[in-house]
Amino acid sequence: MPEILLLNFIVFLGALVQGIIGFGLGVVSASIIFLINPEYLPVPLIMLSLVMMTIVLMINRTELAFDLVRWPMVGQTVGVVVAAWVVAWLDRSWFGFIFALLLLLAVCLTLCRIRLAINPITGSICGFISGFSGTIVAIGGPPMALLYHSLPPKVIITNLSTYFLLGCIISLVTLGLFGRVSWHDVELTAKLIPGMLVGYYVSRHVIQYAKPKVVRTLTLGGSGGVGLYSLIKYGGELLAR
């Protein structure tokens, strides 16, 4: 199978999960695409998320509550700046190792059944972790899903989309200032848009039949496996130096 078809299929799955549970484009797509072609991380997948979040927000904007995203955005902005500085100095092995750690952290946070009160402190902390991991490995959903998980599904999807949309813009601007964004990233992003559009379209039609807990479990299992594999692979490379 040509690489571009495989990558679009992976993005299709990520967009499908995103449309059903409110996050997943990064967790599903980034974790697998990184093993196939790391060139697509982080900028092309952040750009792809920007396009998808714009579409989702346009469709679900009636559930938007700015108070839910205000403090997470403050924390996210700080996390993005710190992450952009880190990305500017990472080589391939260190990037892979940190990618694995953040992916496993994302899985652990999603598995947590802790009920967090939504306030300036928890919002800022979750926003910081999300902004940091979202900028480095294009996976920023789990910390925010942990914060929002007690809210109604439509409210979660809409406000996560708003948060991700603003976060993608901040991440791209910050990475651009560090010289990490190029026209080539735009070309790579364009290649993945068909898979994203089809995945989100399908999610709109199957969401009433899908079981979010099952989708969530399968997503976490696959992502956790990729995280462990990447941790062993790139940890071994670092130890061999």
Side-chain angles (χ1 to χ4, degrees):
M1 179 184 294
E3 181 180 279
I4 191 61
L5 291 180
L6 178 58
L7 293 176
N8 268 277
F9 177 69
I10 294 167
V11 168
F12 163 82
L13 294 177
L16 179 63
V17 172
Q18 178 93 31
I20 294 174
I21 65 175
F23 72 98
L25 182 63
V27 174
V28 175
S29 302
S31 60
I32 303 174
I33 288 176
F34 181 75
L35 298 179
I36 299 172
N37 189 342
E39 190 177 21
Y40 283 86
L41 268 73
V43 175
L45 274 184
I46 294 176
M47 289 181 173
L48 189 68
S49 294
L50 176 63
V51 176
M52 183 171 180
M53 294 310 107
T54 301
I55 296 172
V56 173
L57 187 57
M58 289 174 63
I59 295 174
N60 300 286
R61 59 184 178 276
T62 56
E63 300 291 342
L64 177 61
F66 183 71
D67 286 345
L68 292 176
V69 299
R70 178 174 53 189
W71 286 105
M73 284 305 307
V74 172
Q76 183 186 49
T77 302
V78 178
V80 166
V81 173
V82 174
W85 180 82
V86 171
V87 167
W89 295 98
L90 289 180
D91 62 18
R92 179 178 174 276
S93 295
W94 273 109
F95 182 85
F97 184 72
I98 292 178
F99 167 87
L101 290 177
L102 291 176
L103 179 56
L104 292 173
L105 174 63
V107 171
C108 291
L109 287 176
T110 309
L111 288 171
C112 287
R113 297 186 179 276
I114 302 172
R115 288 186 174 273
L116 295 178
I118 302 176
N119 57 48
I121 295 176
T122 59
S124 297
I125 292 174
C126 289
F128 176 86
I129 297 172
S130 173
F132 185 82
S133 62
T135 301
I136 292 182
V137 296
I139 301 175
M144 299 307 302
L146 176 63
L147 182 67
Y148 290 159
H149 77 89
S150 61
L151 299 174
K154 286 188 176 181
V155 175
I156 293 175
I157 291 174
T158 301
N159 288 282
L160 275 180
S161 299
T162 304
Y163 170 83
F164 290 146
L165 174 63
L166 297 173
C168 287
I169 294 172
I170 294 172
S171 293
L172 291 173
V173 170
T174 306
L175 287 170
L177 293 174
F178 279 84
R180 301 288 293 188
V181 179
S182 67
W183 180 252
H184 181 56
D185 292 316
V186 178
E187 295 174 337
L188 292 177
T189 303
K191 294 178 180 180
L192 301 179
I193 286 180
M196 180 272 292
L197 291 176
V198 176
Y200 183 62
Y201 175 79
V202 173
S203 76
R204 297 277 296 170
H205 292 275
V206 304
I207 189 171
Q208 57 185 321
Y209 308 107
K211 296 181 178 180
K213 288 185 177 179
V214 175
V215 174
R216 186 169 171 264
T217 300
L218 292 174
T219 299
L220 295 178
S223 299
V226 172
L228 288 173
Y229 171 81
S230 300
L231 187 67
I232 294 171
K233 177 182 178 181
Y234 292 102
E237 289 184 4
L238 292 172
L239 289 174
R241 290 183 175 182

